[in-house]
């Protein structure tokens, strides 16, 4: 341990020498970056390990902010390019083939587009939820409710499931992660918007891939005789009467292939991301809690005990809580259609399993009585 401390001490001295040799403008930038989420004195600020890693962490945090802005612009531009390509090249092709099929594609496409844009806008604009600040709070002397802890960076009380985001520089209720694509933290109030955006986006890109498949295969058949003979052998050749009459320009080929392969790649990434969150929601965990719970379960297993997630109320109730299906809200109205309803819990207090179960049953009984 002493050897490791000496190594870190030499790294700190080396960092100071490098810092003294930097230009003045770069020094000012680094100081501004370090002051964003500095560890307060009296907490972890006096620990040699945190002091050694502090400037590197702050530099990473600053870069994450700019990466988030870039990702946000990529999402906006990407959705716009896909929509324009669909209107310019897909709809005219479908219209020449079958008007009824084209009308169905237009309705489904706009339904998915409305849900994608709505949930992305709400996830971006809605704050994740933050704990209420208590003036003159002392994390060392003031008492806290059961299950609460003190955040030494905010110097404020931290409710259960809340975590400090180093990018936003504040605690977030039921924090899942800081999402650069939303340019926002994902927490209690906008987690549902994030998941539904990922879900509808995944369905949307698959819809675009399926819509563009006929044009992509037709263009490729025109350039490759082997591919054309293969498609004819399996009965999937795209040389229909209305496709043969179309003039495929270079612009049409470029944008069709670009959007097709980009959407295909995005569909794979979204499937992995969405599947991961489906598992977490089913278990009643967040992306942070899955690791803390795993560590807690390992520690309890060594003691001969079994760990149980205190915030899991059964897979069905977990989904009801996550989607906010309470007080007469339904899956058809509040999930399949855009809905801005608030979460079931406020994120400040999490009820015990039996209390929440009775509450859900009571609300369901009242809703059934109201309908009757």
């Amino acid at each position: 341990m002493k050897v490791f401390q000496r190594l870190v001490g030499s790294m700190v001295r080396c960092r100071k020498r490098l810092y003294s040799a930097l230009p003045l403008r770069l020094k000012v930038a680094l100081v501004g970056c370090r002051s964003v989420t500095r560890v307060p004195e009296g907490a972890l600020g006096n620990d040699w390990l945190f002091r050694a890693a502090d400037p590197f962490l702050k530099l990473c945090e600053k870069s994450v902010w700019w990466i988030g802005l870039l990702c946000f612009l990529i999402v906006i531009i990407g959705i716009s390019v896909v929509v324009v390509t669909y209107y310019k090249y897909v709809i005219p092709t479908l219209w020449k083939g079958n008007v009824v099929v084209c009308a169905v594609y237009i309705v489904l496409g706009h339904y998915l587009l409305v849900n994608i844009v709505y949930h992305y806008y709400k996830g971006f604009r809605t704050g994740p939820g933050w704990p209420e600040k208590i003036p003159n709070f002392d994390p060392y002397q003031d008492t806290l409710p059961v299950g609460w802890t003190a955040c030494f960076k905010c110097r404020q009380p931290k409710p259960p499931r809340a975590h400090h985001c180093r990018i936003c520089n504040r605690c977030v209720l039921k924090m899942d992660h800081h999402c650069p694509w939303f340019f926002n933290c994902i927490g209690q109030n906008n987690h549902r918007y994030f998941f539904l955006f990922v879900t509808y986006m995944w369905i949307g890109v698959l819809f675009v891939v399926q819509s563009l498949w006929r044009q992509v295969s037709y263009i490729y058949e025109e350039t490759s005789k082997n591919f054309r003979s293969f498609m004819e052998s399996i009965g999937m050749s795209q040389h229909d009467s209305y496709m043969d009459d179309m003039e495929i320009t270079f612009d049409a080929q470029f944008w069709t292939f670009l959007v097709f392969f980009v959407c295909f790649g995005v569909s794979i990434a979204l499937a992995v991301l969405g599947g991961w969150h489906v598992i977490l929601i089913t278990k009643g965990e967040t992306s942070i809690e899955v690791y803390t719970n795993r560590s807690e379960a390992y520690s309890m297993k060594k003691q001969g005990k079994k760990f149980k997630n205190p915030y899991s109320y059964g897979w069905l109730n977990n989904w009801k809580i996550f989607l906010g299906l309470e007080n007469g809200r339904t899956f058809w109205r509040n999930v399949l259609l855009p809905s801005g309803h608030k979460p079931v819990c406020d994120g400040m207090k999490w009820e015990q399993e039996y209390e929440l179960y009775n509450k859900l049953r009571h609300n369901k009984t009242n809703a059934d009585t109201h309908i009757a």
Side-chain angles (χ1 to χ4, degrees), residues 66-117:
W66 287 105
I67 292 173
L69 179 60
L70 178 62
C71 292
F72 173 76
L73 295 176
I74 289 176
V75 172
I76 301 299
I77 296 173
I79 293 176
S80 303
V81 169
V82 171
V83 171
V84 171
T85 302
Y86 199 87
Y87 270 104
K88 190 173 182 179
Y89 300 114
V90 178
I91 291 180
T93 304
L94 294 173
W95 185 266
K96 290 182 179 181
N98 191 316
V99 177
V100 176
V101 174
C102 181
V104 173
Y105 272 75
I106 291 175
V107 172
L108 289 178
H110 283 82
Y111 165 76
L112 293 173
L113 180 62
V114 168
N115 275 287
I116 290 171
V117 173

Side-chain angles (χ1 to χ4, degrees), residues 89-340:
Y89 300 114
V90 178
I91 291 180
T93 304
L94 294 173
W95 185 266
K96 290 182 179 181
N98 191 316
V99 177
V100 176
V101 174
C102 181
V104 173
Y105 272 75
I106 291 175
V107 172
L108 289 178
H110 283 82
Y111 165 76
L112 293 173
L113 180 62
V114 168
N115 275 287
I116 290 171
V117 173
Y118 175 82
H119 289 105
Y120 187 75
Y121 173 79
K122 293 292 288 185
F124 165 71
R125 292 289 297 173
T126 305
W130 303 283
E132 299 178 1
K133 291 187 177 182
I134 299 178
N136 302 323
F137 174 78
D138 190 343
Y140 298 101
Q141 297 182 1
D142 294 349
T143 57
L144 294 171
V146 178
W148 287 50
T149 57
C151 178
F152 291 100
K153 297 178 183 178
C154 297
R155 291 188 174 272
Q156 290 291 324
K158 186 168 61 175
R161 312 190 77 177
H163 296 276
H164 185 89
C165 176
R166 296 178 66 93
I167 310 300
C168 300
N169 194 26
R170 61 194 308 182
C171 287
V172 176
L173 296 175
K174 206 196 82 170
M175 179 180 175
D176 188 85
H177 67 289
H178 185 94
C179 183
W181 300 102
F182 272 78
F183 205 46
N184 196 2
C185 247
I186 304 302
Q188 171 68 10
N189 295 337
N190 59 359
H191 196 180
R192 179 176 64 89
Y193 297 128
F194 166 80
F195 177 77
L196 291 180
F197 167 77
V198 171
T199 302
Y200 282 110
M201 191 70 172
W202 178 65
I203 299 173
V205 293
L206 288 179
F207 177 79
V208 172
V209 168
Q210 191 277 333
S211 302
L212 289 174
W213 166 246
R214 302 195 67 175
Q215 290 177 263
V216 170
S217 59
Y218 177 82
I219 294 172
Y220 199 63
E221 284 182 33
E222 289 294 304
T223 57
S224 175
K225 294 181 179 180
N226 294 332
F227 182 75
R228 180 172 182 175
S229 60
F230 170 75
M231 295 294 288
E232 290 176 350
S233 64
I234 61 176
M236 295 182 63
S237 177
Q238 302 301 321
H239 278 267
D240 301 332
S241 57
Y242 75 94
M243 292 289 289
D244 288 329
D245 296 335
M246 291 185 58
E247 181 182 358
I248 307 298
T249 62
F250 174 78
D251 290 343
Q253 294 184 30
F254 174 79
W255 290 109
T256 299
F257 272 87
L258 177 65
V259 171
F260 176 83
F261 286 106
V262 168
C263 287
F264 182 77
V266 171
S267 67
I268 297 175
L270 290 177
V272 175
L273 178 63
W276 168 248
H277 279 273
V278 166
I279 296 174
L280 294 180
I281 296 168
T282 304
K283 294 182 177 180
E285 296 177 327
T286 64
S287 299
I288 298 176
E289 290 172 349
V290 67
Y291 298 104
T292 57
N293 290 347
R294 186 181 302 172
S295 176
E296 185 69 19
Y298 178 76
S299 300
M300 295 186 67
K301 184 178 180 181
K302 292 175 64 176
Q303 301 174 8
K305 301 177 181 179
K306 186 177 180 181
F307 172 77
K308 186 180 186 301
N309 182 12
Y311 308 115
S312 179
Y313 312 105
W315 70 270
L316 184 59
N317 285 332
N318 289 339
W319 277 99
K320 287 182 179 180
I321 295 169
F322 178 80
L323 297 174
L325 300 182
E326 190 188 32
N327 298 326
R329 298 169 185 160
T330 62
F331 179 84
W332 308 103
R333 169 63 186 86
N334 300 100
V335 177
L336 295 183
L337 296 177
S339 176

Side-chain angles (χ1 to χ4, degrees), residues 310-313 349-358:
Y311 308 115
S312 179
Y313 312 105
K349 179 183 177 182
W350 293 91
E351 303 178 36
Q352 297 295 328
E353 181 177 358
Y354 68 91
E355 293 178 352
L356 186 61
Y357 177 73
N358 292 331

